[in-house]
Amino acid sequence: MQKTFKNEKILFAEPLFQCDGLAGFTRSELYENAIHRTLRINQLKKEHNWTQEDFDIAIRCLNYEVGFVIHLSMFIPAIERLATDDQKAKWLPLAESYRILGTYAQTELGHGTNLMALETTATFDPRTDEFVLRTPQLSSMKWWPGSLGKTATHAIVLAQLIIGNKNYGMNPFMVQLRSLEDHMPLPGIIVGDIGAKLGANSNDNGFLILNDVRIPRENMLARNSKVTKDGRYIQTSTNKANYATMVLVRLSIIRWAEDTIKNGSLIAIRYSAVRRQSSLQAGGPEMQVLDYQTQQYKIFPSLAASYALFFTYEAMMKEYEIAYAQIMRGNNQLLGQIHGQLSGLKAFASDLVTYELEMCRRSCGGHGYLKASVVGETLLHTLPLVTVEGDNTVMYLQCARYLLKQIAKALAGQDVDEPTSYLKKDILSYTCPVQKGEHCTNPNYLLKIYTQRAHSAIASVARQLQFDLESGKDQSSAFNNNLVSLVQAAKAHCQLCLMKNFVESVSALERTCSENLASVLRQLCLYFGLHGIVTASGEFLESEAIGLQQLEWIKAEELKSLAAIRPNAVALVDAFDLHDQTVMSALGRYDGNAYQHLFEAAKREPMNQTQVPPAYYKYLRDLIKGQPLAKL
Ligand SMILES: CCCCCCCC/C=C\C/C=C/C(=O)SCCNC(=O)CCNC(=O)[C@H](O)C(C)(C)COP(=O)(O)OP(=O)(O)OC[C@H]1O[C@@H](n2cnc3c(N)ncnc32)[C@H](O)[C@@H]1OP(=O)(O)O
Ligand SMILES: Cc1cc2nc3c(=O)[nH]c(=O)nc-3n(C[C@H](O)[C@H](O)[C@H](O)COP(=O)(O)OP(=O)(O)OC[C@H]3O[C@@H](n4cnc5c(N)ncnc54)[C@H](O)[C@@H]3O)c2cc1C
């Protein structure tokens, strides 16, 4: 599942990468440890001639608990996508050698989603051939950018470009924040950390106030638009191209989601295999909780999601690489498709894993509430994915906007993009392929059901919008009246994408892998499809993709699937090939000794380093001895 990291032994031989000790670290210690780790991985890369892929896998092996995440995942990619060749030649070597440390400063205290309303300005001053950057009011300050608080020496600041009295919209500007001599903020720069978060506290997300900070004209990243010395704005590509970095990170978030749900399902399934509790026969032996149908129902969705997201990431990476290669050659034909697809799939993947991680946590009972189980920590670290790189609701709406355009083309007899080719079909010619119970065991039949449900959802909201417009509603009111249905249609399309990628990937694999493996993957794919229909049965019925009889057959087949997956469940998570130090969980160790590892973790608890707590001498001793308490 994960490209086996041949350098795992090298990485985990070093105490720095052994994760047990992170519990109890202060924020400053977590921050410092994360920086130390990234720089040490960089040294290992040089010492052992690792590839960039090895470097990236090492970071994933540490669950991204490293420093400079935004420098690596946004600042450098933004230079690659937004800078001219000359600007790349200047800034990339500095960034890649960590001579400058960067962040991507777009979100403000008052705005994150609505980029058109960002308040930071960059005003061109022709007298000095400079831009003057300012955050005019409290709500304008940059707020959230990773590494901004204490680390970044530079930021790519997204600001409204002002020339004369005209606003040319959001453009990217390279701004130095700190001295490269003593790391002190430069004149006009007020910068700091925004404070503790629910998780990811090794990251110094920060705030930035710009008080008339002057930068040279050549600091505007000018691949897509530039300002001439005499103040003329020249657009060389669509201004949507300035959004390119976000598209890439949305792709990365799908893989991040895949990585977290693999951890969660591995912990839940391995622990459920060793945990024995209660018995079905009075006086009989206690059962592995993994044998309870309800426990399987709780955690097998996370197992199936792990594989579904793996296959979808692989497919979307190929789609992105094709689109990006064209875009970098100036051909924006695929820009709308890749934006629509990745907006929706980033939202769907992060929604899916945050829900399933909580189910994994719950499935571990009381021990799931211990930090040492790590499944709760994993959930906390995953929660931001529903917000970063675009709030999920807003991302679904971007996907829906793309789908509306595609169905309009389909209905007009025009070509549509490959991912929405199903919209060309005649929706009325559909007949449910499941006409008897055994038909539910055919993933291709299920795929037809998903297709019809998605097509129906998109067609239905398109019709409703048209009806509202023809009834006299203006565009924005008609849209706002249908936002929930638009989100629903986007989710339906995304769930179809996951199912299609799963079916097609297994079909391709079975041509080369053993029949045993093929049969296990087919079973998991079938389960993923059945479970998806059951959990959204209302929408599948509403779309008439299935009827009540089919739903009854599908529900029965889903429960049978649980029993079919059970014998391979542990092997399927072992196949993730995740090192114990990556999973870090006392409940999910490969050796299965959950209780021993829990007790070892408890013994490492700082409070247990002394038998008698300081509070005894302050409060408890007199209390227990019946002595009057001193004034508190
Ligand atoms: C070390 C490894 C680590 C790997 C993992 C890294 C993870 C990093 C974790 C955290 C970092 C977090 C970073 C951030 O959060 S950065 C900030 C992210 N912010 C956002 O995503 C803002 C969301 N808002 C928007 O994107 C936009 O405001 C909008 C899309 C909601 C609205 O755009 P706008 O231009 O205001 O209006 P329209 O909707 O009318 O769109 C206009 C037009 O542009 C097209 N379009 C919009 N976005 C894109 C895009 N990204 N790419 C291409 N095209 C885009 C849109 O489709 C419209 O096109 P049209 O229909 O043809 O007119
Ligand atoms: C951990 C973390 C790291 C981050 N790192 C960075 C970074 O490195 N760089 C950076 O620039 N930013 C960063 N961000 C900021 C992030 O990009 C924004 O928080 C995100 O884009 C959401 O915007 P917002 O916070 O303004 O939410 P809002 O848009 O204010 O969302 C609030 C509510 O309003 C709803 N809403 C908003 N607009 C609409 C609409 N048009 N239609 C329907 N509903 C709507 C949303 O769905 C949501 O329910 C980070 C955030 C987090 C949590």
Side-chain angles (χ1 to χ4, degrees), residues 70 104-107 111-113 144-146 205 384 387-391 393-394 397 483:
I70 300 306
Y104 181 87
Q106 178 177 285
T107 301
H111 291 93
T113 288
W144 272 115
N205 300 84
T387 305
V388 299
E389 226 49 62
D391 164 86
T393 303
V394 174
L397 291 171
L483 290 183

Side-chain angles (χ1 to χ4, degrees), residues 48 65 127 165 187 232 292 363 391 422 426-427 508 527 536 628:
H48 300 274
E65 188 60 38
R127 291 167 303 129
N165 293 318
R232 282 176 298 113
Y292 290 114
S363 73
D391 164 86
Y422 62 93
D426 173 6
I427 201 167
Y527 170 71

Side-chain angles (χ1 to χ4, degrees), residues 70 74 103-115 142-148 156 158 194 197 199-200 203 205 246 250 383-395 397 480 483 487:
I70 300 306
M74 295 201 77
T103 185
Y104 181 87
Q106 178 177 285
T107 301
E108 298 170 355
L109 193 55
H111 291 93
T113 288
N114 186 3
L115 301 184
K142 294 300 179 185
W143 186 277
W144 272 115
S147 298
L148 176 60
I156 293 173
L158 285 299
I194 62 172
K197 302 174 289 285
N203 193 338
N205 300 84
M246 293 184 277
R250 288 165 190 156
L383 284 179
L385 299 189
V386 302
T387 305
V388 299
E389 226 49 62
D391 164 86
N392 277 3
T393 303
V394 174
M395 291 297 102
L397 291 171
N480 202 44
L483 290 183
V487 168

Side-chain angles (χ1 to χ4, degrees), residues 106 113 116 240 243 250 256 339 389-390 398 401 405:
Q106 178 177 285
T113 288
M116 307 287 251
K240 301 170 201 170
Y243 290 167
R250 288 165 190 156
W256 191 324
H339 165 56
E389 226 49 62
Q398 284 294 305
R401 175 184 177 136
K405 282 187 207 161

